[in-house]
Amino acid sequence: MITTKTSKRSKRRRVKGFRDSEASKEGINPLTEKYWYQRYNLFSKYDQGIQMDEEGWFSVTPEEIAIKHAERCTDHQVVIDSFCGVGGNAIQFARKGCHVIAIDIDPAKVAMAMNNAKVYGVKEYIDFIVGDFFALAPSLKGDIVFLSPPWGGPSYKDIQIFTLELLKPTDGYALFQVAQAITPNIIMFLPRNINLAQVPELAWLSSPPLELEVESNYVQNHPKGVTLYFGSTAAFPPRFSSDYL
Ligand code: ADP
């Protein structure tokens, strides 16, 4: 009984605390509040008019990691950001001097990505397309394909080992093959609990197998994901980051 009363009281306190908070005044809901506290890790220019929605909070790549991804492209290369969301990666590729084709199936996401690219002053270096990456892929040309496919929302953390089959809307192997038909130079950003045993199988889908590099990504010592670099985006000679040695 005591436990129930205490937990009800502390829940009321939490809800009141949230109602009074700056986040709530900005229209942030309790589900996304945790991400809001990390807003400057996601977009350092957050206060200059960045737009987000609930899915955006869950799925945008933290800026520090998006910058690392962008370091793998060189000036004037064309990068296809296949599931661009609110634009975190597209913006950093454009800041690095690349031309970006940013695709998302959700028109609201594309509108927010356009706004956010404007905040960073790189809108003119990005072609935004509202569409299904799988339908568009056969007509796309580019030097690098960036894949940050849906991980299934924050519940991916509850899974002990995230297998490539769990990626949405198709499994990781099928997705990789679609990208590979465009270019072997692929960057794939995946959950931190990805099944690493499956990763080399993606490189082996090509003959000879693609160069592969695996990098674990942290923000302030917290693991945020794993990046796979294939083809020319991988460091040469190929290496795995120290976590995997
Ligand atoms: P997560 O599960 O990681 O939260 P989301 O469900 O937010 O990922 O999906 C990431 C982004 O991919 C979203 O902006 C979503 O609209 C977009 N997306 C989903 N399917 C497709 C598709 N077939 N083509 C292009 N964009 C897509």
Side-chain angles (χ1 to χ4, degrees), residues 55 59 82-83 85 104-106 109 131-134 150-153 169:
E55 245 180 20
S59 58
S82 318
F83 306 88
D104 203 285
I105 204 161
D106 176 1
K109 293 284 190 313
D132 177 348
F133 169 65
F134 296 92
W151 298 357

Side-chain angles (χ1 to χ4, degrees), residues 187-207:
I187 303 176
M188 205 168 181
F189 186 50
L190 295 173
R192 63 188 188 223
N193 50 350
I194 190 71
N195 181 6
L196 288 168
Q198 290 181 312
V199 165
E201 292 172 11
L202 294 174
W204 299 337
L205 288 171
S206 283
S207 176

Side-chain angles (χ1 to χ4, degrees), residues 153-210:
S155 62
Y156 78 88
K157 291 177 191 152
D158 306 332
I159 300 164
Q160 209 191 352
I161 297 186
F162 190 100
T163 63
L164 287 173
E165 288 80 3
L166 293 173
L167 289 172
K168 307 270 184 286
T170 66
D171 69 81
Y173 300 101
L175 170 63
F176 194 80
Q177 279 176 311
V178 170
Q180 221 187 335
I182 303 171
T183 172
N185 310 321
I186 298 168
I187 303 176
M188 205 168 181
F189 186 50
L190 295 173
R192 63 188 188 223
N193 50 350
I194 190 71
N195 181 6
L196 288 168
Q198 290 181 312
V199 165
E201 292 172 11
L202 294 174
W204 299 337
L205 288 171
S206 283
S207 176
L210 297 174

Side-chain angles (χ1 to χ4, degrees), residues 92-110:
Q92 298 307 329
F93 282 120
R95 289 180 97 190
K96 184 76 203 319
C98 294
H99 187 86
V100 185
I101 301 172
I103 301 165
D104 203 285
I105 204 161
D106 176 1
K109 293 284 190 313
V110 171

Side-chain angles (χ1 to χ4, degrees), residues 40-60:
Y40 301 114
N41 289 337
L42 304 180
F43 287 105
S44 57
K45 293 183 190 263
Y46 181 83
D47 288 343
Q48 295 176 39
I50 291 294
Q51 292 175 357
M52 295 281 258
D53 65 0
E54 192 171 309
E55 245 180 20
W57 283 110
F58 298 140
S59 58
V60 67

